[in-house]
Amino acid sequence: MTQSLVDLLLAAAARDLSKVALRRKRATWTYADLTRGAAAAAATLRAAGLQPGDRVGLLFRNCPEYVAFFYGALAERLAVAPLNVQERASVLAIQVAHGGVRLVVGDPEHPEWESLREAMPTEVQMLAVTAHDDDDSVATFMKTVDARPDQTLESPVVARDDMAILLYTSGTTGRPKGVMLSHGNLVANNITIIEYLGLGPHDVGLTVMPFHFSYGNSVLHTHLGAGATLLLEDNLAYPLVVMQRLQNEKVTGFSGVPSTFAILMSRTHIEEFDLSSMRYLTQAGGAMTRAAIQRMRELVPSARFFVMYGQTRPRPVSPTCRPTG
Amino acid sequence: MSDSLRDGVQKFILENYLFTSDTSALGLDDSLLGRGIVDSTGMLEIIMFIEEQLGVTVKDEEMVPENLDSVNRIAAFVESKRKAA
């Protein structure tokens, strides 16, 4: 039977339901919360009239609510179009129309939310789900969606080539292109990366890359597939805050694009932080100079440094240069 | 706090990130990150603006939300740095 990311999540959850899956500020979701939230999100999408094969857009910053809807959509055999939270409504509306998206689920606090409603074709539905950073985040979410006690997240029956994600590129070489990634793509990518990074329940990753970016998407699902904990940030606007979090939460893995590492090296004193828990650093999304990689390796000697090539289009897998040291 | 300093900061952010001169588009206490107005590159541009246009050096350890996450916080931070100089 063809697997989907839902199967990988369910397997991880079955190993330890009480394990923390995601944390954003004070919002903490265990694997039990996440699978329950995804089941309720699936019921909500079904109640909205979506049918298998339909596309659903998600417009959220990096938050657990996004993840619940992502897995809920896959469980319903829908394809997810993760939308760029930094994009303007006029551009998002073009992608929504081009991608045949039937429903956009998003945070109504998003500055473009109302403009998007006006810019999109009228037949596209919108569903507002506010993302919360507080202790009650799970309970608040469950009240927002169609949650019932008897719900469980079900593994979807899918074909390997069925589309799971419709991911728009940044449009560096022209108009953003919608890239169709299949369940087979995503599962192969996940299993490969989990294996070569040696990801497992002992890991605590931290991501600053948005989920609508294929690399951020990959970081999210590999950590969940491995039963690890992932700490969510949106960006590196405050490098010191990120460095403190890497130290204080004993983070074992961190991923970035070349500018992520450039900002950390130029705007913080990495050597002054205790990063001895760090086991792996990964880099993709552009060429990083040999000198910069060497400098990072010296600054964080406990970590292996993986250079990945993870563009959206040549998926299924992120090839990598395995470190020899 | 000097109004001209605050107005200058607000004008810079409005023009460069929100592409408008309508001051109602940005509250003085609005979170720049929370509202998705700036990202990490945008924050580096704000630092450059503070350093080059306002003449205040931002140390690495001062790049924290308490100093930079709203128009009022940036203006207060710049003012306190000028007084300390």
Side-chain angles (χ1 to χ4, degrees), chain A residues 10 25 64 69 81 84 89 107 119 127 150 162 168 182 201 215 255 273 314 319 323-324:
Chain A
L10 285 170
K25 298 205 169 77
F69 266 94
N84 181 349
D107 191 335
L127 176 65
D150 59 341
D162 284 353
Y168 279 85
S182 67
Y215 187 20
S255 304
F273 293 85
T324 50

mmCIF file of all heavy atoms in Angstrom, chain A residues 10 25 64 69 81 84 89 107 119 127 150 162 168 182 201 215 255 273 314 319 323-324:
data_model
loop_
_atom_site.group_PDB
_atom_site.id
_atom_site.type_symbol
_atom_site.label_atom_id
_atom_site.label_comp_id
_atom_site.label_asym_id
_atom_site.label_seq_id
_atom_site.Cartn_x
_atom_site.Cartn_y
_atom_site.Cartn_z
ATOM 1 N N LEU A 10 1.416 8.990 12.025
ATOM 2 C CA LEU A 10 0.702 8.044 12.890
ATOM 3 C C LEU A 10 1.671 7.063 13.542
ATOM 4 O O LEU A 10 1.528 6.717 14.719
ATOM 5 C CB LEU A 10 -0.367 7.301 12.094
ATOM 6 C CG LEU A 10 -1.622 8.120 11.755
ATOM 7 C CD1 LEU A 10 -2.504 7.374 10.749
ATOM 8 C CD2 LEU A 10 -2.429 8.449 13.019
ATOM 9 N N LYS A 25 6.331 29.527 21.024
ATOM 10 C CA LYS A 25 6.173 30.323 22.244
ATOM 11 C C LYS A 25 5.577 29.437 23.335
ATOM 12 O O LYS A 25 6.144 28.425 23.686
ATOM 13 C CB LYS A 25 5.343 31.578 21.972
ATOM 14 C CG LYS A 25 6.007 32.505 20.958
ATOM 15 C CD LYS A 25 5.568 33.934 21.108
ATOM 16 C CE LYS A 25 6.425 34.874 20.276
ATOM 17 N NZ LYS A 25 6.112 34.870 18.856
ATOM 18 N N PRO A 64 1.305 25.477 14.964
ATOM 19 C CA PRO A 64 0.722 24.124 15.011
ATOM 20 C C PRO A 64 -0.599 24.021 14.247
ATOM 21 O O PRO A 64 -0.917 22.968 13.694
ATOM 22 C CB PRO A 64 0.507 23.877 16.507
ATOM 23 C CG PRO A 64 1.453 24.798 17.200
ATOM 24 C CD PRO A 64 1.568 26.018 16.321
ATOM 25 N N PHE A 69 -3.999 21.328 10.039
ATOM 26 C CA PHE A 69 -4.760 21.378 8.789
ATOM 27 C C PHE A 69 -4.028 20.684 7.646
ATOM 28 O O PHE A 69 -4.655 20.093 6.777
ATOM 29 C CB PHE A 69 -5.146 22.826 8.433
ATOM 30 C CG PHE A 69 -6.507 23.179 8.950
ATOM 31 C CD1 PHE A 69 -6.653 23.808 10.178
ATOM 32 C CD2 PHE A 69 -7.654 22.812 8.244
ATOM 33 C CE1 PHE A 69 -7.917 24.089 10.686
ATOM 34 C CE2 PHE A 69 -8.919 23.087 8.741
ATOM 35 C CZ PHE A 69 -9.053 23.735 9.962
ATOM 36 N N ALA A 81 -2.025 23.536 -0.810
ATOM 37 C CA ALA A 81 -1.232 24.612 -1.421
ATOM 38 C C ALA A 81 -0.801 25.553 -0.292
ATOM 39 O O ALA A 81 -1.584 26.391 0.151
ATOM 40 C CB ALA A 81 -2.058 25.359 -2.459
ATOM 41 N N ASN A 84 2.394 31.704 0.669
ATOM 42 C CA ASN A 84 3.479 32.516 1.235
ATOM 43 C C ASN A 84 2.904 33.648 2.075
ATOM 44 O O ASN A 84 2.257 34.558 1.553
ATOM 45 C CB ASN A 84 4.314 33.064 0.074
ATOM 46 C CG ASN A 84 5.487 33.890 0.547
ATOM 47 O OD1 ASN A 84 5.593 34.236 1.732
ATOM 48 N ND2 ASN A 84 6.373 34.210 -0.372
ATOM 49 N N ALA A 89 -1.848 40.068 -1.242
ATOM 50 C CA ALA A 89 -3.112 39.428 -1.634
ATOM 51 C C ALA A 89 -3.254 39.328 -3.146
ATOM 52 O O ALA A 89 -3.758 38.328 -3.669
ATOM 53 C CB ALA A 89 -4.284 40.202 -1.038
ATOM 54 N N ASP A 107 -5.149 32.402 8.988
ATOM 55 C CA ASP A 107 -5.273 33.202 10.192
ATOM 56 C C ASP A 107 -5.851 34.565 9.832
ATOM 57 O O ASP A 107 -5.229 35.315 9.074
ATOM 58 C CB ASP A 107 -3.879 33.356 10.833
ATOM 59 C CG ASP A 107 -3.954 33.941 12.229
ATOM 60 O OD1 ASP A 107 -4.940 34.649 12.510
ATOM 61 O OD2 ASP A 107 -3.037 33.692 13.018
ATOM 62 N N ALA A 119 -9.797 39.967 -3.467
ATOM 63 C CA ALA A 119 -9.021 39.731 -4.688
ATOM 64 C C ALA A 119 -9.310 38.368 -5.325
ATOM 65 O O ALA A 119 -9.068 38.173 -6.513
ATOM 66 C CB ALA A 119 -7.525 39.847 -4.372
ATOM 67 N N LEU A 127 -11.851 30.058 5.339
ATOM 68 C CA LEU A 127 -12.127 29.570 6.686
ATOM 69 C C LEU A 127 -11.097 30.189 7.627
ATOM 70 O O LEU A 127 -9.889 29.986 7.457
ATOM 71 C CB LEU A 127 -12.024 28.039 6.715
ATOM 72 C CG LEU A 127 -12.184 27.373 8.077
ATOM 73 C CD1 LEU A 127 -13.589 27.577 8.635
ATOM 74 C CD2 LEU A 127 -11.875 25.885 7.972
ATOM 75 N N ASP A 150 -14.936 11.050 19.345
ATOM 76 C CA ASP A 150 -14.729 9.756 18.680
ATOM 77 C C ASP A 150 -13.842 9.852 17.430
ATOM 78 O O ASP A 150 -13.651 8.871 16.727
ATOM 79 C CB ASP A 150 -16.093 9.155 18.296
ATOM 80 C CG ASP A 150 -16.889 10.075 17.372
ATOM 81 O OD1 ASP A 150 -16.546 11.290 17.333
ATOM 82 O OD2 ASP A 150 -17.815 9.601 16.698
ATOM 83 N N ASP A 162 -0.492 10.418 -6.694
ATOM 84 C CA ASP A 162 -1.516 11.422 -6.355
ATOM 85 C C ASP A 162 -0.834 12.660 -5.783
ATOM 86 O O ASP A 162 0.091 12.552 -4.972
ATOM 87 C CB ASP A 162 -2.487 10.871 -5.292
ATOM 88 C CG ASP A 162 -3.477 9.873 -5.878
ATOM 89 O OD1 ASP A 162 -3.494 9.709 -7.122
ATOM 90 O OD2 ASP A 162 -4.212 9.240 -5.086
ATOM 91 N N TYR A 168 4.102 26.671 -4.643
ATOM 92 C CA TYR A 168 4.518 27.720 -5.575
ATOM 93 C C TYR A 168 5.959 28.140 -5.308
ATOM 94 O O TYR A 168 6.352 28.350 -4.164
ATOM 95 C CB TYR A 168 3.550 28.915 -5.511
ATOM 96 C CG TYR A 168 2.322 28.607 -6.351
ATOM 97 C CD1 TYR A 168 1.251 27.894 -5.827
ATOM 98 C CD2 TYR A 168 2.302 28.952 -7.691
ATOM 99 C CE1 TYR A 168 0.173 27.546 -6.608
ATOM 100 C CE2 TYR A 168 1.220 28.608 -8.493
ATOM 101 C CZ TYR A 168 0.163 27.906 -7.946
ATOM 102 O OH TYR A 168 -0.892 27.551 -8.734
ATOM 103 N N SER A 182 3.990 14.645 -5.217
ATOM 104 C CA SER A 182 3.095 13.521 -4.932
ATOM 105 C C SER A 182 3.354 12.944 -3.545
ATOM 106 O O SER A 182 4.373 13.232 -2.916
ATOM 107 C CB SER A 182 3.324 12.425 -5.975
ATOM 108 O OG SER A 182 4.627 11.895 -5.797
ATOM 109 N N PRO A 201 13.410 10.322 18.093
ATOM 110 C CA PRO A 201 12.680 10.984 19.183
ATOM 111 C C PRO A 201 13.583 11.797 20.118
ATOM 112 O O PRO A 201 13.106 12.672 20.827
ATOM 113 C CB PRO A 201 12.050 9.814 19.945
ATOM 114 C CG PRO A 201 12.013 8.690 18.984
ATOM 115 C CD PRO A 201 13.181 8.862 18.084
ATOM 116 N N TYR A 215 12.056 23.792 1.600
ATOM 117 C CA TYR A 215 13.030 23.354 2.608
ATOM 118 C C TYR A 215 12.393 23.394 4.013
ATOM 119 O O TYR A 215 12.537 22.461 4.804
ATOM 120 C CB TYR A 215 14.231 24.295 2.510
ATOM 121 C CG TYR A 215 15.457 23.969 3.327
ATOM 122 C CD1 TYR A 215 15.715 22.710 3.834
ATOM 123 C CD2 TYR A 215 16.394 24.976 3.556
ATOM 124 C CE1 TYR A 215 16.866 22.466 4.558
ATOM 125 C CE2 TYR A 215 17.548 24.737 4.275
ATOM 126 C CZ TYR A 215 17.782 23.483 4.783
ATOM 127 O OH TYR A 215 18.923 23.257 5.493
ATOM 128 N N SER A 255 18.494 24.172 10.839
ATOM 129 C CA SER A 255 18.613 24.214 9.388
ATOM 130 C C SER A 255 18.511 25.652 8.906
ATOM 131 O O SER A 255 17.734 26.433 9.441
ATOM 132 C CB SER A 255 17.469 23.412 8.754
ATOM 133 O OG SER A 255 17.474 22.098 9.259
ATOM 134 N N PHE A 273 27.913 30.981 23.111
ATOM 135 C CA PHE A 273 26.759 30.165 23.510
ATOM 136 C C PHE A 273 27.178 28.709 23.662
ATOM 137 O O PHE A 273 28.072 28.238 22.952
ATOM 138 C CB PHE A 273 25.647 30.280 22.451
ATOM 139 C CG PHE A 273 25.038 31.654 22.384
ATOM 140 C CD1 PHE A 273 25.623 32.652 21.603
ATOM 141 C CD2 PHE A 273 23.905 31.961 23.118
ATOM 142 C CE1 PHE A 273 25.080 33.929 21.553
ATOM 143 C CE2 PHE A 273 23.361 33.237 23.076
ATOM 144 C CZ PHE A 273 23.939 34.224 22.292
ATOM 145 N N PRO A 314 13.214 19.861 -8.605
ATOM 146 C CA PRO A 314 13.794 18.536 -8.871
ATOM 147 C C PRO A 314 13.525 17.499 -7.794
ATOM 148 O O PRO A 314 14.202 16.487 -7.750
ATOM 149 C CB PRO A 314 15.279 18.827 -9.011
ATOM 150 C CG PRO A 314 15.507 20.074 -8.279
ATOM 151 C CD PRO A 314 14.225 20.825 -8.233
ATOM 152 N N PRO A 319 19.083 15.560 -2.492
ATOM 153 C CA PRO A 319 20.411 14.953 -2.464
ATOM 154 C C PRO A 319 21.257 15.701 -1.445
ATOM 155 O O PRO A 319 21.009 16.860 -1.154
ATOM 156 C CB PRO A 319 20.945 15.208 -3.875
ATOM 157 C CG PRO A 319 19.767 15.579 -4.694
ATOM 158 C CD PRO A 319 18.803 16.210 -3.758
ATOM 159 N N PRO A 323 28.727 14.641 5.254
ATOM 160 C CA PRO A 323 30.003 15.077 5.822
ATOM 161 C C PRO A 323 30.901 13.868 6.060
ATOM 162 O O PRO A 323 30.413 12.785 6.389
ATOM 163 C CB PRO A 323 29.599 15.726 7.142
ATOM 164 C CG PRO A 323 28.262 15.185 7.463
ATOM 165 C CD PRO A 323 27.620 14.773 6.179
ATOM 166 N N THR A 324 32.191 14.062 5.867
ATOM 167 C CA THR A 324 33.104 12.950 6.076
ATOM 168 C C THR A 324 33.673 12.979 7.490
ATOM 169 O O THR A 324 34.120 11.981 8.005
ATOM 170 C CB THR A 324 34.274 13.018 5.078
ATOM 171 O OG1 THR A 324 34.807 14.339 5.130
ATOM 172 C CG2 THR A 324 33.802 12.721 3.675
#
